[in-house]
Amino acid sequence: MPELPEVETVRAGLQDLVCGQTIRQVEVFQPRLRYPIEADFSVRLVGHKVLRLARRAKYLLFELERKTLLVHLGMSGSLRWSDPEQPRHPHDHVEILFDGAGCLRYRDPRRFGLLMLASPPVAQHPLLRHLGPEPLSDEFNSVYLFEQLRRRKTAIKNLIMDNRLVVGVGNIYANEALFACGLSPYLPGASLSSGQCLQLVTAIKQVLRAAIAAGGTTLQDFVNGRGNPGYFQQQLYVYGRAGEACLRCGEMIENGRSGQRSTFYCPRCQAAKES
DNA sequence: CTTTGCACCTGTTGGC
DNA sequence: TGCCAACAGGTGCAAA
């Protein structure tokens, strides 16, 4: 469910609540997530203080003194600050209690997410090592993108959703960014000119920034760390709008498939252009 | 190396 | 109303 803007929204909302807090107790109610939670997970966390809450790609990084807790929300995960006295939801799989009042609860009906401890340097962790640049960094620019797309015939939409090329762009924002710059999602990567690469890079950054500013997109159940929804869905131009009129030209938005993912686009604004 | 399709899991939705 | 197939924000992996 969460793409980069949603994860960043959770990070920003939880940061002040967890930083400086020491972990008092960890309860695992359901260890079978994407990777099973190890038996010593709780023991290794208790007594450690959260120094910083960072993010890399769609991973949340709880930086402790000598280790890092990695949390990925998968498709349906959420992490929320809660009163330990409140009854737990059936899909609350992990609870982290702190010295101060309040606890962090990890909820994930589909269990595609993960919680895992990583030793420094965390960037070398197997799950993080092969990740591409952050989309909002200067490292992700048109020169880089153009070079990456050479010799790639995969559809551009699938390429920008590939973690090794650039992180954080999921199905919603891939569709939105391609609409924003008027490129067909089906263009082979190598067919993009350097000018189109610049337009696409600019569109991705702009869409992600706007989504972060709106607190993310809530389609069904996304909530930030404090249990509140995001509002970017009000600014979606194509995602989920199949059959409705294009907000720019009035043409009917189409819903196709690309790489087993549903793909929304305006056939007029995003006509496949030769380059 | 690139590309494709599957697998992991539960919940919701839409068609018949 | 009920049943069942299809689909849902992600991503690592095997196989071609």
Side-chain angles (χ1 to χ4, degrees):
Chain A
M1 129 230 251
E3 301 186 33
L4 185 146
E6 289 72 40
V7 178
E8 178 57 28
T9 296
V10 171
R11 190 204 64 76
L14 288 179
Q15 173 167 245
D16 290 346
L17 293 168
V18 300
C19 285
Q21 295 242 37
T22 299
I23 297 171
R24 176 166 57 83
Q25 190 185 349
V26 177
E27 299 248 38
V28 177
F29 304 102
Q30 169 57 277
R32 312 214 55 177
L33 302 181
R34 174 162 196 191
Y35 299 101
I37 294 180
E38 309 277 335
D40 60 354
F41 179 77
S42 304
V43 178
R44 294 178 62 196
L45 280 172
V46 169
H48 290 272
K49 187 202 286 185
V50 179
L51 304 179
R52 208 165 78 94
L53 180 53
R55 177 190 59 74
R56 170 75 173 113
K58 296 171 190 167
Y59 292 89
L60 285 165
L61 277 49
F62 290 80
E63 297 179 358
L64 313 175
E65 288 96 341
R66 297 190 59 88
K67 58 187 91 170
T68 300
L69 169 63
L70 301 184
V71 178
H72 196 291
L73 302 177
M75 288 276 268
S76 60
S78 59
L79 201 53
R80 45 189 110 192
W81 190 253
S82 149
D83 176 352
E85 299 305 314
Q86 288 295 311
R88 275 182 294 109
H89 183 276
H91 291 296
D92 285 346
H93 305 314
V94 179
E95 180 171 82
I96 299 175
L97 296 119
F98 295 93
D99 272 348
C103 70
L104 210 47
R105 283 174 175 167
Y106 175 79
R107 180 181 306 181
D108 188 2
R110 291 180 73 180
R111 291 190 270 127
F112 285 176
L114 66 89
L115 285 86
M116 186 177 285
L117 279 166
S119 304
V122 69
Q124 289 307 307
H125 188 275
L127 291 173
L128 306 184
R129 187 169 18 185
H130 301 292
L131 294 175
E134 287 289 323
L136 296 177
S137 71
D138 292 341
E139 203 187 331
F140 181 61
N141 57 46
S142 61
V143 173
Y144 167 83
L145 182 62
F146 187 67
E147 172 59 25
Q148 289 294 310
L149 297 185
R150 293 178 51 194
R151 305 171 192 286
R152 303 284 241 120
K153 48 190 177 194
T154 301
I156 186 61
K157 171 163 177 271
N158 300 322
L159 288 171
I160 60 176
M161 291 175 68
D162 183 340
N163 278 334
R164 288 161 305 185
L165 200 158
V166 62
V167 301
V169 182
N171 202 27
I172 296 177
Y173 301 114
N175 282 297
E176 292 299 316
L178 287 163
F179 174 83
C181 64
L183 292 174
S184 164
Y186 299 115
L187 286 174
S191 73
L192 270 70
S193 66
S194 53
Q196 289 173 324
C197 286
L198 176 57
Q199 290 184 302
L200 181 51
V201 165
T202 306
I204 289 171
K205 290 176 191 277
Q206 173 220 309
V207 167
L208 294 178
R209 284 205 180 97
I212 291 170
T217 300
T218 297
L219 294 182
Q220 287 168 36
D221 51 14
F222 167 74
V223 290
N224 64 22
R226 295 160 193 236
N228 303 313
Y231 294 96
F232 192 71
Q233 64 275 17
Q234 295 168 10
Q235 297 175 56
L236 296 177
Y237 281 81
V238 286
Y239 186 88
R241 298 194 64 247
E244 297 176 43
C246 172
L247 296 172
R248 184 179 292 159
C249 79
E251 184 76 301
M252 193 153 77
I253 300 300
E254 286 198 11
N255 180 12
R257 289 233 138 217
S258 183
Q260 291 111 254
R261 308 303 296 275
S262 142
T263 297
F264 300 90
Y265 63 102
C266 169
R268 188 185 295 173
C269 294
Q270 295 170 268
K273 291 171 229 154
E274 303 302 323
S275 57

